């Protein structure tokens, strides 16, 4: 039997024997805890004589810890457990938390394969020495206070599959080296202070399935992203991207482009039949929300609010129809009558047309929908006129309806009419838009 096993059995025997003599359950628990801590240290010290972690990896871990402000390393944090008198890959238990290593069957050195730090609020820089962990597949630094640029040496980590650095204070541009990580599947740099453009070479990351650059200070036009043909989620929201919408990967399922300065038409969305969630709100997009968009049968949530759209043209469906459940289109310049074809969307439960320029009566066909599947219908701040459909006057309290600031004949005895209507002077001339 290996001497490590003999030591463990011997210690366990003597501590259990001592605990039985004392007869205290609490003392027994404390002694067992002491046992495993002691075993961890002894085993690490035994392995220290023939360290099995690659020297480059050990040195890189030292540099990573050295680049962190020690005042931000609390006693409960992972980094506090990094004790370099011991061997990183040979230690178990409560030492070197946040590190995973290979376990070679021969005499080769162990290599660090994952660096997954806790979200304790570490302050400091990410050292270029990170690039020496060349067997790394996972790098997670989420929810800390790292600052400064992302080191170019990240490009050395050719086996990386996952990078998550969200919610830090990183600055500068995306390192060109990241565009060389051909095995990368998940890249999350959201909620930092990164700037510049998206490198065109990023389209070479053919394995990428998730890309989030949201809530940074990126600007400029976005490159053609069709090369990312496996991409399922793209989140560029809350930046300063401008120009037309990018040409997008065909397998895209979730698209978040809100709070940018995109302009032009919705044409690039045409034919993306795998889309399920689309948020392009708060941009400068114009033209129409055309049939092409409503032919995307799989879309469940569509948010086109706060743009400059002037027309909406839903397709009329029979049978089951599309999967659309939520349609957000407030804060545009939509004109004409409310679209009647929406009553054929059997999965639709929530519609927001507030703050547009719709006129004319509320379609009678909308009434039964309030008694059926619709749970939210917001029509405030338009120029709708005429009497309310019967069902509006006896509205189910479980349904949220907003019709204030229109030109409706709306008696205050009806609950949903208690929000004021527009003055007559505002309604004159709008009736014939």
């Amino acid at each position: 039997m290996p001497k490590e096993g003999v030591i463990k059995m011997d210690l366990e025997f003597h501590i259990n024997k001592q605990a039985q003599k004392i007869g205290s359950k609490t003392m027994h628990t404390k002694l067992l805890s002491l046992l495993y801590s002691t075993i961890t240290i002894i085993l690490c010290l035994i392995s220290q004589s023939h360290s099995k972690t690659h020297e480059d990896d050990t040195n890189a871990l030292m540099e990573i810890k050295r680049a962190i402000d020690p005042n931000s390393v609390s006693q409960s944090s992972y980094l506090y457990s990094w004790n370099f008198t011991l061997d990183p890959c040979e230690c178990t238990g409560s030492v070197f938390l946040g590190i995973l290593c290979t376990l070679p069957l021969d005499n080769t050195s162990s290599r660090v394969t994952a660096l997954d730090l806790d979200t304790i609020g570490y302050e400091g820089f990410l050292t270029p020495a990170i690039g020496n962990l060349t067997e790394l597949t996972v790098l997670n630094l989420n929810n800390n206070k790292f600052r400064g640029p992302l080191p170019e040496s990240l490009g050395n980590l050719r086996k990386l599959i996952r990078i998550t650095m969200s919610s830090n204070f990183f600055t500068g541009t995306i390192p060109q080296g990241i565009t060389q990580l051909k095995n990368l599947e998940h890249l999350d740099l959201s909620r930092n202070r990164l700037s510049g453009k998206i490198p065109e070479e990023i389209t070479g990351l053919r394995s990428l399935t998730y890309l989030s650059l949201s809530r940074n200070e990126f600007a400029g036009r976005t490159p053609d992203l069709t090369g990312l043909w496996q991409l399922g989620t793209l989140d560029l929201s809350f930046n300063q991207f401008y120009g037309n919408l990018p040409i997008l990967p065909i397998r895209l399922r979730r698209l978040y482009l809100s709070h940018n300065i995109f302009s032009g038409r919705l044409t690039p969305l045409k034919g993306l039949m795998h889309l399920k969630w689309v948020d392009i709100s708060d941009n400068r997009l114009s033209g129409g929300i055309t049939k092409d968009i409503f032919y995307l049968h799989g879309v469940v949530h569509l948010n086109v609010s706060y743009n400059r759209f002037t027309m909406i043209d839903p397709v009329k469906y029979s049978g089951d129809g599309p999967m659309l459940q939520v349609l957000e289109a407030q804060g545009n310049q939509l004109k004409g009558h409310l679209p009647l074809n929406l009553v054929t969307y059997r999965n639709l439960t929530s519609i927001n047309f507030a703050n547009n320029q719709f006129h004319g009566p509320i379609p009678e066909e909308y009434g039964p929908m309030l008694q059926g599947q619709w749970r939210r219908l917001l029509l405030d701040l338009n120029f709708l006129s005429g009497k309310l459909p019967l069902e509006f006057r006896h509205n189910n309290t479980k349904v949220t309806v907003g019709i204030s600031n229109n030109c409706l004949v709306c008696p205050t005895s009806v609950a949903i009419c208690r929000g004021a209507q527009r003055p007559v002077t505002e309604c004159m001339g709008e009736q014939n838009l």
Side-chain angles (χ1 to χ4, degrees):
M1 178 181 294
K3 59 183 177 180
E4 293 94 330
V6 173
I7 292 171
K8 180 176 180 180
M9 291 177 61
D10 190 52
L11 278 170
E12 191 168 19
F13 172 78
H14 286 292
I15 289 180
N16 274 314
K17 188 172 181 180
Q18 185 65 28
Q20 289 170 2
K21 288 181 180 180
I22 296 172
S24 167
K25 185 176 181 180
T26 301
M27 182 62 72
H28 185 250
T29 301
K30 289 181 178 179
L31 287 171
L32 283 177
S33 177
L34 176 62
L35 162 69
Y36 292 113
S37 297
T38 304
I39 289 173
T40 296
I41 294 172
I42 290 175
L43 293 182
C44 287
L45 287 172
I46 289 172
S47 67
Q48 183 72 9
S49 62
H50 55 283
S51 175
K52 291 188 177 181
T53 304
H54 196 286
E55 183 178 0
D56 288 348
D57 287 10
T58 301
N59 290 336
L61 294 176
M62 288 180 177
E63 290 298 319
I64 289 169
K65 184 173 182 179
R66 193 173 292 124
I68 305 298
D69 183 348
N71 293 320
S72 66
V73 181
S74 67
Q75 293 187 13
S76 62
S77 69
Y78 285 6
L79 277 181
Y80 189 82
S81 73
W82 291 15
N83 179 356
F84 289 100
T85 63
L86 310 175
D87 184 77
C89 287
E90 289 299 298
C91 292
T92 59
S94 58
V95 185
F96 283 100
L97 297 176
I99 293 173
L100 293 178
C101 298
T102 58
L103 298 173
L105 299 178
D106 51 21
N107 291 326
T108 58
S109 298
S110 295
R111 300 299 306 272
V112 176
T113 59
L115 179 57
D116 188 359
L117 292 186
D118 48 338
T119 58
I120 205 73
Y122 298 116
E123 296 185 33
F125 301 91
L126 182 59
T127 171
I130 188 75
N132 293 328
L133 299 175
T134 53
E135 293 294 313
L136 209 61
T137 60
V138 174
L139 176 58
N140 178 14
L141 307 178
N142 277 357
N143 294 292
N144 282 291
K145 297 178 182 178
F146 285 96
R147 61 189 185 274
L150 296 172
E152 190 65 41
S153 61
L154 287 170
N156 298 338
L157 308 180
R158 298 303 176 91
K159 295 188 178 181
L160 272 176
I161 295 173
R162 185 181 184 92
I163 298 178
T164 50
M165 298 184 179
S166 177
S167 300
N168 282 282
F169 300 106
F170 287 116
T171 55
T173 59
I174 297 175
Q176 198 69 25
I178 284 183
T179 67
Q180 304 302 313
L181 304 179
K182 303 301 184 182
N183 293 312
L184 200 60
E185 298 176 3
H186 185 109
L187 177 58
D188 186 355
L189 303 178
S190 62
R191 297 176 183 271
N192 280 284
R193 296 174 180 174
L194 298 168
S195 57
K197 298 181 178 181
I198 300 176
E200 291 189 9
E201 294 81 359
I202 204 168
T203 59
L205 301 181
R206 300 298 175 88
S207 298
L208 206 61
T209 61
Y210 181 98
L211 175 60
S212 179
L213 305 178
S214 67
R215 296 180 184 272
N216 277 284
E217 298 170 11
F218 291 112
R221 298 180 184 274
T222 51
D224 181 340
L225 298 175
T226 51
L228 302 176
W229 61 278
Q230 295 197 73
L231 195 67
T233 298
L234 175 64
D235 190 351
L236 305 180
S237 58
F238 291 89
N239 281 288
Q240 299 175 45
F241 292 114
Y242 59 80
N244 294 333
L245 295 179
I247 302 176
L248 297 162
I250 195 67
R251 294 187 181 181
L252 204 61
R253 295 169 64 86
R254 291 179 173 267
L255 177 64
Y256 306 95
L257 301 179
S258 66
H259 297 83
N260 280 285
I261 321 173
F262 287 113
S263 57
R265 306 302 173 97
L266 293 178
T267 308
L269 302 187
K270 182 179 178 180
L272 299 180
M273 301 308 296
H274 295 278
L275 276 176
K276 290 189 173 297
W277 198 286
V278 179
D279 187 350
I280 52 176
S281 60
D282 197 9
N283 279 284
R284 298 177 183 176
L285 298 164
S286 58
I289 308 165
T290 59
K291 286 184 170 65
D292 290 337
I293 303 304
F294 293 100
Y295 278 130
L296 303 176
H297 293 204
V299 173
V300 173
H301 185 111
L302 176 61
N303 190 348
V304 294
S305 297
Y306 298 109
N307 279 285
R308 298 174 180 178
F309 296 117
T310 57
M311 181 268 289
I312 185 168
D313 186 18
V315 179
K316 183 177 181 180
Y317 282 97
S318 59
D320 291 337
M323 298 299 295
L324 188 64
Q325 297 176 12
V326 177
L327 174 58
E328 298 282 346
Q330 67 173 318
N332 280 285
Q333 301 167 21
L334 298 174
K335 296 180 173 66
H337 293 272
L338 290 171
L340 183 56
N341 287 343
L342 288 179
V343 301
T344 67
Y345 289 52
R346 296 191 176 183
N347 295 293
L348 190 60
T349 61
S350 179
I351 302 170
N352 187 352
F353 284 148
N355 196 12
N356 278 288
Q357 297 176 29
F358 286 114
H359 70 275
I362 298 174
E364 291 292 334
E365 291 83 353
Y366 277 25
M369 305 305 292
L370 294 186
Q371 305 297 323
Q373 68 193 47
W374 288 2
R375 290 291 172 265
R376 178 172 169 264
L377 177 63
L378 301 182
L379 304 174
D380 311 87
L381 288 163
N382 280 281
F383 295 92
L384 301 170
S385 59
K387 295 181 179 180
L388 297 177
L390 178 63
E391 292 84 358
F392 279 67
R393 285 173 268 166
H394 302 284
N395 179 41
N396 186 335
T397 56
K398 294 182 180 179
V399 181
T400 301
V401 179
I403 57 172
S404 64
N405 288 285
N406 278 283
C407 303
L408 294 161
V409 178
C410 202
T412 55
S413 58
V414 176
I416 64 172
C417 291
R418 290 171 187 166
Q421 295 296 303
R422 291 181 182 274
V424 174
T425 53
E426 289 187 17
C427 296
M428 293 178 63
E430 296 291 344
Q431 304 293 330
N432 297 316
L433 280 175

